Amino acid sequence: MAELIYDKDGRLLFTKEMKREYTLLMPTMLPVTFTLMKKLLELDGYKIDLLETTHRGIVDTGLKYVHNDTCYPALLVIGQLMEAINSGQYDKRKIALMISQTGGGCRASNYIHLLRKALEKAGLDYVPVVSINMSGLEKNPGFSFNVRTVRRLVPAMIYGDILVHLANQCRPYEKTLGETDKQIDRWTNHLVDLFSKGRGLRKKEMQTVMTAIAAGFAEIPLEQIDRPLVGVVGEIYVKFAPLGNNNLEDFLLSEGCETIVPGLTDFLLFKIDNRIEDVDLYGGRYLKKKLAQFLKSYIESLQQCMINAVKTQPNFRVMEPFSALKSGVAGYLGYGNKMGEGWLLTAEMIELIHAGITNIVCTQPFGCLPNHIVGKGMIRKLKDDFPDSNIVAIDYDPGATKINQENRIKLMLSNAGRRAV
């Protein structure tokens, strides 16, 4: 059994010996993208189990360990991890937990401390917690999140975005149910095979693979019918995670809608762009700015490969580049507005409206003040400037009922139907 080693501050470390023996439990946010990221980390020798549970019991477990005034995503992630530990599926002496830290002003940077408190409360303080961050907040000898790791995970994120983007345009119209999911499985398996051979990660290779992915989805037989288009924006976890939004995308599909969800790539570019804006607005190290500019330019070039691939199939709607998002929000919010999803959340609503997608669900955890400002707080301004916009803000918290959330969305869809007449 691996020896428990602590740093000078008393933090339990994830050691190289643990890497060989332990299973890392990883919460899911985007099922397709996180599956690809999991496979890449496994190629580096980690044993990872992706948690995909979504039932109500996770909320109840979270409430046992986290105060109900705490950020709802924190409650869900901690509840999901604690439930998994106590499920009997794992050897508690051979598991570690994985959680992200943004390093910004969001409370998400403190989830890790809440998780450790929950483990201590449950008598499980011998379970190590691994931080995934790009800010150097915490380091572990058995887990490295370095340039090489980023170099491999960024393509996985891009591939995940194009798969979800195309799938959402096919699934509501497929003539044979399940064809879209078959394409996702096919390409996920193919990408994992490429990754295992060290292929599919360079820009030229990615362009070729993503063009083939677009062609593959274009082969799905689709019905030519009109469906309401509904955009989904909001706080990153609640927007993407089925656990966080009560399976919102499945609900919209059951209501006969096509769902449009902006990708994860824009969020990562937004976080990097913030580092550049910080130096411009408040001062700072020139080297920090240049490194951020280099990383931003690299990811934008991969995003452009994705856009070019989608353009090869004229029946698919093409996503906008990050630069268009940023320029589109000018005059609404300053670029120094970066707490929560900052100006990006408003920019995504503007992008959707400009694309003719005027029905929008703005998802937000109750009590997340930054996202209430840039989400719900901007809706009146957007409706004044875009009278055809049909936006509803939906709060998600431990006490919110799924039926109430869905009824409010149904009312929004009813308004959409009346406007279409």
Side-chain angles (χ1 to χ4, degrees), residues 19 24 38 43 56 61 75 81 89 127 157 202 206 223 236 268-269 292 328 342 380 391-392 402-403 420:
K19 178 181 178 180
L24 280 160
K38 167 184 179 288
L43 292 178
R56 170 70 198 190
T61 301
L75 185 146
L81 288 167
Q89 184 178 348
V127 176
M157 175 190 67
R202 295 181 176 86
M206 290 182 66
E223 296 179 343
I236 184 170
L268 180 58
L269 285 167
R380 172 48 55 196
I391 309 172
V392 60
K402 183 177 181 180
I403 189 67

Side-chain angles (χ1 to χ4, degrees), residues 184-289:
I184 291 177
D185 292 341
R186 170 196 170 192
W187 286 108
T188 298
N189 292 334
H190 180 63
L191 288 168
V192 171
D193 182 57
L194 287 177
F195 294 162
S196 66
K197 299 172 183 175
R199 295 165 52 198
L201 299 172
R202 295 181 176 86
K203 189 187 304 183
K204 188 175 181 180
E205 292 176 322
M206 290 182 66
Q207 184 69 76
T208 300
V209 174
M210 287 192 288
T211 300
I213 288 173
F217 278 90
E219 294 173 356
I220 299 175
L222 303 178
E223 296 179 343
Q224 300 302 312
I225 57 177
D226 290 330
R227 293 191 180 278
L229 304 180
V230 180
V232 176
V233 300
E235 187 273 335
I236 184 170
Y237 182 84
V238 174
K239 173 175 68 173
F240 287 133
L243 173 60
N245 59 37
N246 284 328
N247 296 290
L248 175 59
E249 290 188 50
D250 287 345
F251 169 71
L252 289 171
L253 184 65
S254 72
E255 291 294 311
C257 301
E258 177 188 332
T259 307
I260 299 92
V261 187
L264 183 60
T265 305
D266 286 326
F267 180 80
L268 180 58
L269 285 167
F270 165 73
K271 302 302 290 186
I272 297 169
D273 186 71
N274 285 339
R275 306 295 177 93
I276 301 169
E277 291 292 342
D278 281 350
V279 176
D280 291 340
L281 292 170
Y282 313 117
R285 291 183 296 170
Y286 177 75
L287 179 60
K288 171 185 172 182
K289 177 179 177 179

